[in-house]
Amino acid sequence: MSEGGMESGEKQAVSEEYAAKAETMKNKANEFFKSQRYQEAIEWYSKAIDLDPSIAVYYGNRSFAHLKMESYGYALSDATTALDIDRTYIKGYYRRASANMALGKFKKALTDFEAVKKARPKDQDAVNKYNQCNKIVHQQAFAKAIAVESSKKSVAESINLDTMVVEETYEGPRWEEGEMAVEFMTGLLDWLKEEKKLHRKYAYKILLRSKEIFEAQPSLVAVSIPDSSDRFTVCGDIHGQFYDLLNIFTLNGLPSQDNPYLFNGDFVDRGSFSVEVILSLLGFKVLYPDHFFMSRGNHESINMNQMYGFEGEVRAKYSQQMWDLFTEIFNWLPLAHLLQSRVLVTHGGLFSRDGVKVSELVDIDRNRQPPEEGLMC
């Protein structure tokens, strides 16, 4: 019962003893939640649900904890169960809307946000979320209405590095001619660590070269790990935490041919140093194209970047043009990696249908924004 809950409309008699124990466990879960120990909160909410699966709030609270863990599928399931139990439970609509929004299902999210707004018209957060979601739905509808075959000129084609002058006063790392060198990347990390900005010419150079590399890769990249290699490191979400990234490299070593990495999506948003994170990761991709890998996450998309801060950060630190180029690069990021023909690594989780074959992943046309259905979704 801990993740599934009751069937819609099902009622279950619970003794006063079990109900009291469940409430105690819920309160303990709340304390873990307040301490940002979300996994432990989930465990205790689950214990409360096992004892008394008739309380909508228990599912709603666990849904909120799942949202904090970015387990959006579980969050959606719990919020839906909460509403099956109690259709008047307003937080259930809010949780379900938040989960659907994170999953890119904006029309479904809008319906629930509208319900919250009607129930609580003075709740400014609910109003803001409704307006934000409504704007995205209208943008998607407009984009679909004016969509044409990809005749739009690539932003990358409009960029001329030769016209970009590096001022003599610039003291940061330089990449003038030839292939990127290790010294450039170590210098870049040191420069960014001091919260200084990489010159736009070198930033664009990293972006343009990485785009070429990603364009040449399939949607699913097969990675061979030599028998002589004693490590292959897979890292989860960085979310703009540049100093966490530096700490990973301090603990585990810088990327190299002998120390390969795969970063599995969600490089940007939330944190304040998304630009620094993504430039560092793309730089290592350029330096070690066959030993450094990057998968696309749900935050490598326009709507997420607009909601969670990356677009604004790029525009503040560089320009609108660079933001547009990032969007093009994100569209070309591989969706999954297959390590040694044995381990599948993808940001998105399990598929909505059984029997998915590796060949289907290879053939996905990924150069687009995430759709609302299908394997890429």
Side-chain angles (χ1 to χ4, degrees):
M1 296 286 294
S2 62
E3 288 292 341
M6 299 185 300
E7 294 296 325
S8 177
E10 181 183 342
K11 301 294 182 182
Q12 181 173 332
V14 176
S15 68
E16 291 185 6
E17 178 186 2
Y18 274 30
K21 287 182 177 179
E23 189 67 11
T24 298
M25 291 178 177
K26 184 263 289 184
N27 292 335
K28 188 168 184 176
N30 288 347
E31 292 303 314
F32 280 122
F33 188 96
K34 291 176 184 177
S35 301
Q36 300 183 1
R37 297 164 65 178
Y38 302 122
Q39 188 57 53
E40 290 163 288
I42 289 168
E43 292 171 5
W44 283 93
Y45 287 134
S46 298
K47 291 178 181 180
I49 289 169
D50 285 340
L51 287 172
D52 188 353
S54 66
I55 306 299
V57 171
Y58 296 172
Y59 291 96
N61 287 3
R62 191 172 67 177
S63 177
F64 196 13
H66 279 308
L67 285 170
K68 292 293 186 178
M69 295 288 290
E70 297 195 13
S71 300
Y72 301 123
Y74 282 138
L76 178 61
S77 176
D78 274 345
T80 300
T81 302
L83 290 171
D84 286 342
I85 296 170
D86 182 1
R87 288 291 175 185
T88 67
Y89 180 48
I90 300 303
K91 286 185 178 180
Y93 292 101
Y94 195 94
R95 304 285 181 255
R96 189 167 68 179
S98 298
N100 272 319
M101 197 163 181
L103 291 167
K105 300 180 183 298
F106 298 104
K107 289 182 180 179
K108 291 182 177 179
L110 184 62
T111 299
D112 282 340
F113 278 136
E114 186 172 17
V116 176
K117 188 173 74 108
K118 286 182 178 179
R120 297 180 177 174
K122 295 183 179 180
D123 186 331
Q124 194 57 48
D125 184 59
V127 172
N128 290 341
K129 286 289 176 62
Y130 170 82
N131 291 337
Q132 191 176 48
C133 190
N134 190 41
K135 180 180 179 182
I136 291 173
V137 170
H138 279 85
Q139 286 176 338
Q140 288 183 331
F142 179 73
K144 187 175 182 179
I146 65 171
V148 295
E149 291 299 315
S150 52
S151 57
K152 181 181 177 181
K153 186 176 180 180
S154 167
V155 175
E157 296 175 6
S158 67
I159 296 170
N160 185 351
L161 294 176
D162 293 334
T163 63
M164 297 183 188
V165 178
V166 180
E167 299 79 7
E168 293 183 3
T169 55
Y170 174 71
E171 299 178 347
R174 292 174 178 260
W175 173 19
E176 300 295 357
E177 302 294 337
E179 297 298 318
M180 180 186 284
V182 174
E183 292 75 17
F184 175 84
M185 283 307 302
T186 55
L188 175 61
L189 295 181
D190 290 339
W191 186 250
L192 297 179
K193 185 178 180 180
E194 297 178 15
E195 298 190 21
K196 296 180 179 179
K197 189 171 75 172
L198 178 66
H199 194 280
R200 69 187 187 100
K201 179 173 183 176
Y202 304 128
Y204 273 119
K205 198 168 184 178
I206 289 173
L207 298 184
L208 293 173
R209 180 67 188 114
S210 64
K211 182 174 182 285
E212 292 175 0
I213 295 171
F214 290 130
E215 283 180 334
Q217 292 184 318
S219 293
L220 182 143
V221 178
V223 179
S224 297
I225 304 173
D227 294 336
S228 58
S229 178
D230 63 350
R231 66 165 64 184
F232 187 96
T233 303
V234 181
C235 297
D237 309 12
I238 299 297
H239 274 310
Q241 301 293 342
F242 180 64
Y243 295 94
D244 285 358
L245 178 64
L246 293 179
N247 194 43
I248 289 172
F249 291 153
T250 297
L251 295 172
N252 198 61
L254 288 174
S256 70
Q257 293 182 358
D258 299 321
N259 191 25
Y261 279 85
L262 164 57
F263 281 84
N264 192 32
D266 281 12
F267 320 116
V268 301
D269 286 332
R270 302 190 190 280
S272 301
F273 301 97
S274 292
V275 168
E276 288 76 4
V277 167
I278 192 63
L279 287 177
S280 299
L281 295 179
L282 293 176
F284 278 117
K285 181 62 182 177
V286 173
L287 182 60
Y288 300 116
D290 299 321
H291 300 87
F292 191 89
F293 304 93
M294 297 170 65
S295 295
R296 188 176 187 176
N298 57 302
H299 276 265
E300 279 67 61
S301 62
I302 291 175
N303 292 328
M304 285 294 185
N305 294 164
Q306 290 175 335
M307 285 191 291
Y308 291 98
F310 182 56
E311 180 192 20
E313 184 182 337
V314 176
R315 293 172 64 182
K317 293 178 179 178
Y318 286 99
S319 66
Q320 176 68 41
Q321 182 189 52
M322 184 174 287
W323 153 248
D324 292 336
L325 181 56
F326 270 117
T327 296
E328 289 188 2
I329 293 170
F330 290 166
N331 282 353
W332 280 110
L333 285 169
L335 304 179
H337 290 76
L338 186 60
L339 311 182
Q340 208 68 353
S341 300
R342 293 169 54 197
V343 181
L344 178 69
V345 183
T346 184
H347 187 86
L350 298 178
F351 304 105
S352 59
R353 64 174 171 84
D354 295 332
V356 175
K357 298 180 180 179
V358 169
S359 59
E360 295 180 72
L361 305 184
V362 174
D363 294 337
I364 291 176
D365 178 15
R366 69 185 187 278
N367 182 24
R368 53 181 168 152
Q369 290 300 294
E372 292 191 12
E373 59 185 6
L375 291 181
M376 184 172 171
C377 172

